[in-house]
Amino acid sequence: MTSQHQRVLSGMRPTGALHLGHYHGVLKNWIKLQHEYECYFFVADWHALTTHYEDPGDIAGSVWDMVVDWLAAGITPGEARLFIQSRVPEHAELHLLLSMFTPLGWLERVPTYKDQQEKLKERDLATYGFLGYPLLQSADILIYRAGLVPVGEDQVVHVELTREVARRFNYLYGREPGFEDKAEAAVKKMGKKGAKLYTQLRRAWQERGDGEALDKARALLEAQQNISIGDRERLFGYLDGGGKVILPEPQPLLTPAPRMPGLDGQKMSKSYGNTIGLREDPESVTRKLRTMPTDPARVRRSDPGTPEKCPVWAFHGVYSDDATRAWVQEGCTTAGIGCLDCKQPVIDAVLAEQAPIRARAQEYLEKPDTVRAIVAEGIDDARQVARDTLEEVRQVMGLSYR
Ligand code: TRP
Ligand code: SF4
């Protein structure tokens, strides 16, 4: 069994074709993680609907494209589970249940709430659904009891909110009469050695704040084969006092800021119109790179330039080796090479990077049934985990009528 702290969950909103910025930022990271953790990656179609409820057709059109993009980039179905949020309705039920005890102020204070309303002025985001956006995200994460959530900088606040919601949930519903006695009984079930070690580590954490001991105690609990889920939760909670940990607090796994520049030197982003599509056709990619701006001081071929003032130089930073970069420095500052000469190695490298991605995408586009089957399987796996969590949540919230 892979432990819940090893479970990774992340989602992406289907709002258009992915570009090389997504590839170098998010996807390469996911591809690495899928070999290290039990990964769940999903298309956040409900999240897209919170802002694009007036044009749902755009979302539907992007969902399958996005899955194809992921697969083409190298997400492996055997390694990661891929699914679509709205096909796992358990997210929605958990969202509703979390909403019962989440103070309005927590949501109103999330900075993305006001920021996005400002940014997307043309859309009316004074809606109930949009206010709930980060709580829906909390449900996405907590329903899998994910330990790690790979996100960009802007999303860290949402993971932090999730931690607060989890803490409040455990506080409200993790209490049970006789908790201490039950926890002590659970300690004994670990066997002599395990019990002794747990007790020592717990003391080291509670008396001296030894964080390493806490980590070790958690690892010890995860490795236990013989205790029930309920006892495991008690023992997790007992480390901190409190009660059972039914919904563990996730950690953000900050995605390193993408080094990928856009065609104009700003960060690559759809809203700046400076992107290269993940599987854009080679002619178009070549044309975009050949016409992209260079150091404005290099008006004529004979004018020397400054690479640091040129967006092409940023591309060399991503795609070129030291020798090529030295060649650019020398050639640009002495007017020894022209800008088209300078761009050629970048063009070659981008096309080479995209060739296998494009080929894989083509394969999947020719076999839409395969893509659907991959997602169907991901949905099945996701629902199994989600149902287990929800059953427990219903139970402690007094909703399991039988
Ligand atoms: N809000 C995220 C974004 O815009 C997408 C998302 C939805 C997500 N649910 C999630 C990311 C859960 C991580 C975990 O990028
Ligand atoms: Fe930019 Fe290269 Fe032209 Fe220099 S030679 S201005 S680095 S494109």
Side-chain angles (χ1 to χ4, degrees):
M1 182 188 87
T2 321
S3 75
Q4 63 199 30
H5 292 272
Q6 304 276 58
R7 202 175 276 152
V8 163
L9 170 112
S10 200
M12 223 190 259
R13 299 181 317 131
T15 51
L18 297 190
H19 52 67
L20 290 180
H22 295 112
Y23 179 65
H24 285 269
V26 183
L27 291 176
K28 273 162 81 177
N29 193 37
W30 284 12
I31 290 163
K32 182 167 72 74
L33 291 169
Q34 68 179 349
H35 303 297
E36 299 166 1
Y37 299 98
E38 183 187 325
C39 286
Y40 293 76
F41 299 131
F42 71 98
V43 182
D45 56 346
W46 278 334
H47 275 98
L49 213 45
T50 63
T51 50
H52 290 61
Y53 56 86
E54 285 181 287
D55 21 47
D58 295 358
I59 299 172
S62 299
V63 168
W64 294 107
D65 270 347
M66 190 150 98
V67 176
V68 169
D69 281 342
W70 291 356
L71 293 167
I75 306 281
T76 322
E79 299 277 355
R81 294 135 203 87
L82 308 182
F83 62 95
I84 299 167
Q85 183 182 33
S86 65
R87 298 282 304 277
V88 186
E90 286 78 5
H91 291 223
E93 185 173 337
L94 184 60
H95 178 204
L96 175 77
L97 294 177
L98 299 178
S99 78
M100 302 301 171
F101 60 84
T102 301
L104 261 185
W106 287 12
L107 295 173
E108 287 161 345
R109 272 199 304 274
V110 173
T112 45
Y113 178 56
K114 290 255 151 58
D115 290 355
Q116 292 294 101
Q117 285 186 338
E118 285 287 302
K119 240 196 201 153
L120 304 176
K121 272 227 171 66
E122 72 284 5
R123 301 179 186 278
D124 180 4
L125 297 182
T127 58
Y128 178 54
F130 188 66
L131 178 67
Y133 183 113
L135 192 63
L136 177 58
Q137 185 161 349
S138 299
D140 298 338
I141 297 167
L142 296 175
I143 196 106
Y144 301 102
R145 303 193 231 225
L148 293 171
V149 185
V151 284
E153 189 97 61
D154 62 319
Q155 296 290 312
V156 170
V157 288
H158 293 169
V159 181
E160 245 129 51
L161 173 80
T162 306
R163 294 169 58 84
E164 281 177 51
V165 170
R167 214 172 301 144
R168 186 154 164 79
F169 181 93
N170 294 325
Y171 173 78
L172 288 169
Y173 307 111
R175 303 189 160 250
E176 48 180 355
F179 174 74
E180 298 247 323
D181 293 344
K182 284 183 185 161
E184 281 300 337
V187 174
K188 296 213 175 73
K189 291 184 200 154
M190 279 196 287
K192 248 208 181 104
K193 252 175 73 188
K196 191 165 159 218
L197 186 56
Y198 175 87
T199 306
Q200 275 171 358
L201 292 168
R202 174 170 177 265
R203 200 170 295 144
W205 164 241
Q206 294 197 337
E207 290 173 10
R208 299 195 299 279
D210 180 346
E212 216 170 288
L214 178 63
D215 289 344
K216 278 194 195 139
R218 288 184 174 151
L220 174 71
L221 292 178
E222 268 151 28
Q224 291 299 312
Q225 305 285 347
N226 300 327
I227 55 176
S228 67
I229 294 175
D231 276 341
R232 193 193 304 272
E233 286 165 356
R234 276 181 201 103
L235 291 171
F236 268 111
Y238 197 40
L239 287 171
D240 274 322
K244 278 194 195 178
V245 176
I246 299 161
L247 299 178
E249 293 176 38
Q251 292 285 353
L253 194 62
L254 194 63
T255 309
R259 293 193 304 145
M260 191 63 211
L263 289 163
D264 56 359
Q266 303 185 78
K267 122 177 191 206
M268 187 177 280
S269 160
K270 191 172 89 171
S271 51
Y272 298 145
N274 62 359
T275 62
I276 296 176
L278 185 65
R279 43 189 163 100
E280 194 164 328
D281 74 89
E283 291 73 33
S284 165
V285 173
T286 307
R287 193 174 342 104
K288 280 187 179 174
L289 288 166
R290 286 176 75 95
T291 54
M292 76 183 271
T294 59
D295 176 3
R298 263 203 107 176
V299 182
R300 277 172 301 257
R301 166 72 171 78
S302 55
D303 297 332
T306 312
E308 288 72 20
K309 292 184 181 158
C310 175
V312 180
W313 177 242
F315 273 77
H316 280 290
V318 176
Y319 288 101
S320 297
D321 57 15
D322 289 345
T324 309
R325 283 202 285 262
W327 169 79
V328 173
Q329 281 290 346
E330 164 73 18
C332 179
T333 52
T334 61
I337 58 172
C339 289
L340 281 178
D341 304 326
C342 179
K343 287 171 170 179
Q344 196 55 49
V346 168
I347 295 173
D348 294 341
V350 173
L351 294 180
E353 175 175 78
Q354 288 178 315
I357 296 178
R358 217 179 282 114
R360 263 195 303 265
Q362 199 49 43
E363 272 177 45
Y364 283 115
L365 288 170
E366 281 161 18
K367 291 182 287 185
D369 290 349
T370 306
V371 178
R372 273 161 217 272
I374 290 167
V375 171
E377 216 170 288
I379 291 168
D380 277 350
D381 289 352
R383 286 198 82 173
Q384 254 174 37
V385 178
R387 280 199 194 111
D388 283 350
T389 307
L390 201 51
E391 194 170 283
E392 216 181 321
V393 168
R394 284 192 194 125
Q395 198 186 345
V396 296
M397 290 184 82
L399 298 167
S400 45
Y401 313 105
R402 288 254 160 86

